[in-house]
Amino acid sequence: MLRTALRNVLAHKARLLMTVLAVMLGVAFVSGTLVFTNTISAAYQKSSEKGFDGVDVAITPHKSDSGSGVPGSTPRLGQQVLDKAAKVPGAASATGVVKGFTALSDRKGDLLGGGFSTLGGNYYPGPDGKDPRYTMTEGRAPKAPGEIALDSKSAAKGHYKAGDTIRVSVNGPVRTEKISGVFTTDDGNVAAGGSLALYDNATAQKLFAKPGQFDEIDVKAAAGTSQAALKSAVDKILPPDARAATGQKLADDQAEQIKQGMSSMQTAMLVFAGIALFVGIFIIANTFTMLVAQRTKELALMRAVGASRRQVTRSVLIEATAVGAIAAVVGMAAGVGIGAGLRSLLSSTGATVPDGPLVVQPATVAVSLLVGVVVTVLAAWLPGRRAAKIPPVAAMSSVHAAPTTRGLVVRNTIGALLAAAGVALVLYGSGQGMDGKGPMAFGAAVLVIGVFVLTPLLSRPLIAAAAPVLRLFGMSGKLARQNAVRNPRRTAATASALMVGLTLITGMTVIAGSVQKGIDQMASDGLKSDYVVSMGGAGGAPRPLSPDVAEKLEKQPEVTAVSPLRQAPAKVGGETESLTGVNPKAIKQLVGVDFVHGSFSGFGGQKVVVDDKTADSNHWKVGSAIPVTYQDGRGGKLTVGGVYEGNQMIRGVMVDAATITPHMATVTDFQVMLKTKGGTTEANKDALTKALGNNPALQVQNKQDISDSIAKLFTLMLNMLYGLLAMAVIVAVLGVINTLAMSVFERSQEIGMLRAIGLDRRGIKRMVRLESLVISLFGGVLGIGLGVFFGWAAGELISTGLTTYELVLPWGRMGLFLAMAAVVGVLAALWPARRAAKLNMLEAIKAE
């Protein structure tokens, strides 16, 4: 039986090629994902370990409550701690570290470094006048205000050298600094594409902390002193609001963070690899079903001469194992290339990653081979079992045993139950808010499986709907329709492969378009301001903005109203809240909020306005007196003057900025809102940009700019998802080609007869192409329909958090997806149609 199975694999090389390709693509995606994420993770880990080479023990402050349990700003370490750390037994040296946001401008005025990690720090020289963290390769270290040193990668990107001047922004205002030197560093942020500018220690403390204070103190151990021993000595001199950790511990923690960060990317990519493999299962099952059907007489003869059912099933599974193993090995090799290509692609987008070798772990090889073989064997098991159950006499008399009515009734009943259960779970999840994600996801999977099981039943009426169009193509069209429904199970499996990919693509497109419409509506409803000014750069957290920005804008002749948005933590009514300080005279001109109770009338001083959810949770109403403990520990009382309907852009406790400013440790804004004469015009925007010194770090955005900036994230994510799902669509195309090729082979005698009675080669080609087109459009219609349903259901969840969410059906894109399905059908039929047309009619008529 083993020799027979292996002989069959070698005898049907061409027939199994599509199956091998389908499995290979899925395995390549899996192995490529693992290679890519392992390589990037290892490179970052190695880079982070280098960054801690000079650190044996690091002393850092930790956040503590400041007065009455109100979270304060992160404390810093003083010069005394640094001096003590340098003198502990076993310490060779101690270095004070200060860091903060520093945006650099290139020669064109654009942000240098892309905002990935644009940092500034201090150059802290030791007794020898050098900072061991940085090696100067050009010029010298900064020694006075007005001087900075640049990392070599940023200097090369911006075409800067020692002696040049560069425009810099730390918290808003533009500073023009002289580049005193260029240095190299093992800093992981720089290795990953960020930029680093160094100031002399006093200037850095003034910009990023306070004179005499540090964010961190790094202690280097003397020869013969272990990190653990040094930490024990350092622990004895620590103040209550500081902690110490060994360099190894910090490196391990950072490595774990990197691993967790890469884990989410790896999981997402493996999900799409799984989708490609899931689609591939349809092709594999189709292939083995047709191969087994074509060998029914052979298998019956084997049963007649003594082979058991188990042996017949085993022979099919041995074939599947051989095919899966070949596909897995080729896919594994292709995956290594995909991993290398993804890394190069990432680098080409400007997201520089640390250097490092390509990492192919033994686990990656094992998983890839296991996935390829297991998927193929599982897909081939049912056809093999079905073949073994056919009685030898029945198989001898009929090559193509039609499925029994009872079997179809059972299948349709199961499919209907699964589909109904899936719809019920999705509908239930849609009404549960964000808590319904689990039931909805499970329901979606059950519904897809249910529709797949029902697809043979659905194929007849849906394909029959295309009959009027197919009649236009004469006999070829009529034959194409009959061929498409002749074997509903095969048609269903082929169409389902395309259905899965289009379901996901359509659903994501519906969600993205609807979310974008909601964001546009939110910006339109929530903002009355013409412009919002904020610091640029990557990352979700708002960067601090100097109060000088609002003051400068207020003096511009084009500006009619200005309000900073200034946040400060406080304990309000027994709960920690973030107070948002605004200009009470201008705010009603800049935000659009509907009041449930009260209004902006009298807002200012100790009178505040709060959003409805905050008011409800705290049982506040207009006139309520609220005890407050500010960031500096001092107390006071606030009075609720109004309750407004909050949204994603405007919510929380709004208070007079003048009320909270005296209590803030460092006064900074996170945004400035303003109105201008004439509204949003290019002239006004240019005037504001010029007034702010053409600062590359500052964003001057109108409502549309804000919506567009958020839309860019959705567009980028959507394009990435389209790219990943393209793999599933490619596999689906292979499925259509495979099915048609097998169908042509199976119907060779019939095609020969058609040629003999007058149907020319062009008619044969047209028949096969139309059959492919109908099957592909059938899968496309099912996929788009399911995608719209899932998009609507997911929108019900999203609308609980985004109140302005509105379902948008992208008719144009859905039409494009349907056209894409048609193109898939036409392209997939090229080779099978050509093969069918070239059949010799006499040989085909004699074929069994």
Side-chain angles (χ1 to χ4, degrees):
M1 294 302 294
L2 176 63
R3 287 198 300 271
T4 302
L6 295 178
R7 186 208 66 190
N8 284 327
V9 172
L10 296 174
H12 302 124
K13 295 187 289 290
R15 302 184 203 175
L16 293 169
L17 177 62
M18 295 300 173
T19 300
V20 171
L21 283 174
V23 179
M24 183 205 75
L25 284 172
V27 171
F29 207 160
V30 171
S31 60
T33 295
L34 294 174
V35 169
F36 170 67
T37 52
N38 289 337
T39 297
I40 299 300
S41 182
Y44 275 117
Q45 186 170 338
K46 185 178 178 183
S47 175
S48 68
E49 287 173 353
K50 276 188 178 180
F52 290 111
D53 279 350
V55 181
D56 290 310
V57 173
I59 304 172
T60 54
H62 63 85
K63 290 185 178 182
S64 62
D65 289 346
S66 68
S68 305
V70 178
S73 58
T74 304
R76 291 190 170 88
L77 303 169
Q79 185 69 41
Q80 289 181 343
V81 181
L82 177 60
D83 294 339
K84 288 180 181 180
K87 296 175 183 177
V88 298
S93 63
T95 302
V97 179
V98 180
K99 280 190 178 180
F101 174 74
T102 301
L104 305 174
S105 172
D106 63 17
R107 293 187 179 276
K108 296 178 181 178
D110 297 325
L111 194 64
L112 187 63
F116 171 81
S117 181
T118 49
L119 295 176
N122 66 324
Y123 189 88
Y124 191 86
D128 59 355
K130 297 180 180 179
D131 189 328
R133 299 173 295 171
Y134 311 110
T135 302
M136 305 303 300
T137 58
E138 184 184 339
R140 59 170 176 80
K143 295 181 178 178
E147 293 182 346
I148 64 168
L150 283 187
D151 72 271
S152 56
K153 289 189 175 183
S154 297
K157 285 180 192 174
H159 305 289
Y160 288 117
K161 62 182 186 299
D164 291 343
T165 57
I166 184 171
R167 298 169 71 247
V168 180
S169 179
V170 173
N171 60 357
V174 176
R175 305 162 59 93
T176 301
E177 315 280 16
K178 182 179 180 181
I179 301 174
S180 65
V182 177
F183 63 89
T184 58
T185 177
D186 289 327
D187 189 297
N189 288 319
V190 175
S195 62
L196 180 60
L198 298 180
Y199 292 89
D200 68 278
N201 187 61
T203 303
Q205 287 179 326
K206 184 178 178 182
L207 290 173
F208 308 126
K210 288 184 178 179
Q213 292 189 342
F214 301 94
D215 296 317
E216 183 179 316
I217 294 172
D218 295 337
V219 187
K220 180 73 175 173
T225 303
S226 68
Q227 290 188 353
L230 181 60
K231 180 183 180 299
S232 297
V234 169
D235 283 338
K236 297 174 182 177
I237 59 98
L238 291 180
D241 57 353
R243 65 180 182 87
T246 63
Q248 186 60 51
K249 175 71 165 54
L250 293 174
D252 291 343
D253 289 347
Q254 188 158 337
E256 183 60 30
Q257 289 177 2
I258 292 168
K259 184 178 179 181
Q260 290 177 359
M262 296 302 296
S263 175
S264 56
M265 178 192 292
Q266 188 180 77
T267 301
M269 294 179 71
L270 286 175
V271 165
F272 289 97
I275 292 168
L277 285 169
F278 179 68
V279 172
I281 286 174
F282 296 129
I283 301 177
I284 300 164
N286 249 3
T287 302
F288 278 94
T289 298
M290 288 183 277
L291 286 175
V292 167
Q294 291 166 11
R295 287 167 38 214
T296 304
K297 282 188 177 180
E298 176 189 327
L299 295 174
L301 183 60
M302 290 171 63
R303 289 287 310 282
V305 297
S308 67
R309 285 186 178 183
R310 184 173 296 177
Q311 285 178 311
V312 170
T313 303
R314 193 182 301 149
S315 71
V316 175
L317 295 183
I318 290 171
E319 285 184 56
T321 302
V323 171
I326 294 168
V329 170
V330 178
M332 174 64 220
V336 174
I338 288 174
L342 286 172
R343 178 176 173 173
S344 299
L345 181 64
L346 190 65
S347 299
S348 68
T349 62
T352 309
V353 295
D355 296 329
L358 204 64
V359 177
V360 183
Q361 296 181 350
T364 301
V365 177
V367 167
S368 301
L369 296 178
L370 188 65
V371 164
V373 173
V374 168
V375 165
T376 310
V377 170
L378 285 177
W381 175 76
L382 191 59
R385 186 170 174 272
R386 192 182 297 138
K389 289 175 70 176
I390 300 175
V393 175
M396 285 289 194
S397 61
S398 176
V399 175
H400 302 294
T404 63
T405 303
R406 180 176 175 275
L408 290 174
V409 169
V410 170
R411 175 175 180 142
N412 293 338
T413 302
I414 293 173
L417 290 174
L418 286 172
V423 170
L425 282 169
V426 170
L427 293 176
Y428 170 77
S430 67
Q432 300 300 307
M434 295 309 291
D435 294 334
K437 287 187 292 186
M440 182 176 289
F442 181 67
V446 172
L447 177 55
V448 169
I449 294 170
V451 171
F452 165 64
V453 175
L454 279 175
T455 307
L457 179 66
L458 298 173
S459 63
R460 289 187 178 277
L462 287 178
I463 291 176
V469 177
L470 292 175
R471 287 197 194 100
L472 300 176
F473 297 93
M475 184 55 66
S476 295
K478 182 179 180 181
L479 290 171
R481 183 181 66 80
Q482 292 174 348
N483 290 335
V485 296
R486 177 183 296 183
N487 192 330
R489 286 181 174 175
R490 183 193 304 164
T491 298
T494 306
S496 295
L498 194 58
M499 176 192 78
V500 172
L502 284 179
T503 295
L504 293 167
I505 290 174
T506 304
M508 289 169 182
T509 303
V510 169
I511 293 169
S514 301
V515 167
Q516 181 56 45
K517 181 70 179 292
I519 291 168
D520 288 342
Q521 190 64 40
M522 181 177 64
S524 176
D525 293 346
L527 293 178
K528 287 184 181 178
S529 61
D530 294 324
Y531 294 99
V532 174
V533 179
S534 61
M535 291 294 284
R543 300 191 185 277
L545 195 63
S546 170
D548 294 345
V549 173
E551 292 173 9
K552 186 174 288 188
L553 289 170
E554 198 167 11
K555 296 175 184 176
Q556 301 308 308
E558 299 87 0
V559 176
T560 58
V562 174
S563 175
L565 270 66
R566 187 172 298 169
Q567 284 190 334
K571 197 165 187 179
V572 182
E575 297 291 335
T576 300
E577 297 282 352
S578 182
L579 302 178
T580 302
V582 298
N583 180 348
K585 296 179 181 177
I587 192 65
K588 58 186 173 184
Q589 302 177 54
L590 301 170
V591 298
V593 293
D594 296 322
F595 277 86
V596 180
H597 303 289
S599 66
F600 275 126
S601 177
F603 174 52
Q606 306 304 313
K607 187 173 280 191
V608 301
V609 294
V610 300
D611 70 280
D612 49 353
K613 289 185 179 178
T614 303
D616 290 342
S617 64
N618 290 281
H619 306 291
W620 296 337
K621 56 185 180 181
V622 174
S624 294
I626 309 167
V628 58
T629 304
Y630 294 104
Q631 189 177 3
D632 59 1
R634 287 189 281 175
K637 277 192 180 292
L638 299 175
T639 303
V640 177
V643 178
Y644 64 90
E645 292 182 5
N647 55 51
Q648 277 67 31
M649 301 194 76
I650 310 293
R651 59 184 171 184
V653 182
M654 276 196 278
V655 61
D656 189 339
T659 302
I660 61 170
T661 298
H663 305 287
M664 295 176 69
T666 303
V667 181
T668 58
D669 303 324
F670 66 91
Q671 280 183 349
V672 176
M673 305 171 73
L674 55 101
K675 283 191 80 70
T676 54
K677 295 175 182 176
T680 54
T681 63
E682 283 299 319
N684 279 341
K685 187 172 183 177
D686 291 343
L688 295 173
T689 304
K690 187 176 180 181
L692 295 170
N694 294 311
N695 191 334
L698 287 177
Q699 295 177 328
V700 181
Q701 298 176 301
N702 59 28
K703 284 184 280 191
Q704 191 58 49
D705 293 333
I706 293 171
S707 293
D708 291 345
S709 65
I710 300 172
K712 282 181 183 177
L713 298 176
F714 283 99
T715 303
L716 178 63
M717 288 173 60
L718 198 61
N719 288 339
M720 288 175 63
L721 293 173
Y722 283 165
L724 293 170
L725 287 170
M727 181 70 73
V729 174
I730 291 171
V731 175
V733 173
L734 292 175
V736 179
I737 297 173
N738 198 29
T739 297
L740 290 173
M742 291 290 189
S743 180
V744 167
F745 179 85
E746 191 178 89
R747 302 202 311 262
S748 296
Q749 192 177 54
E750 176 188 321
I751 291 171
M753 289 293 294
L754 290 172
R755 289 289 315 283
I757 61 176
L759 191 63
D760 60 10
R761 288 186 174 182
R762 183 177 295 178
I764 294 292
K765 283 184 179 181
R766 189 182 298 123
M767 177 187 73
V768 176
R769 287 172 184 163
L770 289 173
E771 179 185 349
S772 174
L773 183 64
V774 167
I775 293 173
S776 297
L777 287 175
F778 171 51
V781 168
L782 285 181
I784 291 171
L786 281 175
V788 169
F789 177 66
F790 291 145
W792 166 82
E796 293 297 299
L797 298 186
I798 295 169
S799 64
T800 60
L802 182 64
T803 54
T804 53
Y805 181 89
E806 182 181 336
L807 180 66
V808 175
L809 294 181
W811 295 107
R813 290 217 175 181
M814 288 194 294
L816 185 64
F817 296 155
L818 197 60
M820 183 181 73
V823 170
V824 164
V826 172
L827 293 178
L830 290 178
W831 178 63
R834 187 167 175 269
R835 182 183 176 192
K838 290 177 69 176
L839 285 175
N840 183 293
M841 68 177 76
L842 294 179
E843 291 181 2
I845 291 171
K846 291 189 295 180
E848 291 190 7

